[in-house]
Amino acid sequence: MSLNELLVEELRDLYSAENQLTKALPRLAKGAEDQELKDGFTQHLEQTKEHVERLKQVFSILEEKPTGKHCNGMEGLIEEGKEALGEEFEGDVYDLGLIGAAARVEHYEIAGYTAAIAMADALGQGEIVERLKETLKEEEETRDQLEQLLHTLVERAAEESDEDEEEEEEPVVVGARKSSSSGHTKAKIKR
């Protein structure tokens, strides 16, 4: 297989991945509880549609068809996203599960676009490199936004967890006193 053929295969994999995402992102947006996360998923859906169109342009430049390959890696990542949607966590902890799934998707895409850019560059395909770099930049920005939101939600979830633990501390028994010799608590019994 030549480098050009490998580039086409990589691009077909990315094309399949992006198309799968256009179906998965609306479910993530609907399932997210945090409004910023919902908006982020919705915004990335629109970007993903643009990524599909950009890849169609790249295939046109190469005089190749974009179809013919199914991205199994993205299928698995989307399945993990579905599992995160089905978890019984609540609030920020639930949304953190969705962010984890989405971050894995972004890292997968970044790796794929980075490889495709290197191949296209080696083949002297400057126009393709520029289009792919535009998508790569957007994928990296999405990853960065997810990481920022991740830190915000982790802090809020930790604060909520601390508050919950304070509420669950051992209740004080009225009339209880500690025995000086054993350190154990004894309750006074009224007769």
Side-chain angles (χ1 to χ4, degrees), residues 35-177:
Q35 189 60 48
E36 187 178 349
L37 184 57
K38 276 182 183 292
D39 294 345
F41 284 141
T42 301
Q43 177 186 0
H44 196 57
L45 172 61
E46 295 310 309
Q47 277 185 333
T48 301
K49 290 176 182 176
E50 291 173 22
H51 299 168
V52 170
E53 290 306 311
R54 237 179 254 139
L55 284 168
K56 285 180 182 177
Q57 294 166 5
V58 166
F59 281 106
S60 178
I61 294 167
L62 291 170
E63 298 178 356
E64 294 282 348
K65 292 184 179 182
T67 58
K69 181 156 181 134
H70 179 74
C71 181
N72 294 322
M74 185 58 73
E75 181 180 19
L77 291 169
I78 288 172
E79 193 58 39
E80 286 187 18
K82 287 179 187 175
E83 288 175 12
L85 283 168
E87 293 292 341
E88 294 190 18
F89 297 111
E90 295 177 351
D92 292 335
V93 174
Y94 173 79
D95 283 336
L96 284 167
L98 299 184
I99 289 174
R104 285 187 286 280
V105 165
E106 291 311 307
H107 286 279
Y108 183 84
E109 288 181 298
I110 289 167
Y113 280 104
T114 300
I117 289 166
M119 290 177 215
D121 190 43
L123 292 167
Q125 294 283 358
E127 187 178 355
I128 291 172
V129 168
E130 290 311 308
R131 289 172 199 252
L132 296 177
K133 279 185 175 181
E134 190 175 349
T135 299
L136 177 62
K137 181 181 177 211
E138 291 171 355
E139 299 292 9
E140 290 171 336
E141 288 169 354
T142 298
R143 176 208 54 208
D144 294 346
Q145 290 167 354
L146 284 169
E147 286 180 9
Q148 287 175 350
L149 187 55
L150 172 106
H151 293 297
T152 299
L153 295 182
V154 164
E155 287 175 21
R156 282 196 330 221
E159 287 171 9
E160 289 173 11
S161 180
D162 288 345
E163 289 170 8
D164 291 345
E165 286 179 16
E166 287 174 12
E167 290 174 10
E168 292 177 9
E169 284 184 5
E170 191 175 314
V172 176
V173 178
V174 178
R177 62 183 168 88

Side-chain angles (χ1 to χ4, degrees), residues 17-28:
E18 296 286 20
N19 276 294
Q20 289 180 57
L21 271 179
T22 61
K23 295 176 181 106
L25 283 167
R27 284 180 280 199
L28 290 172

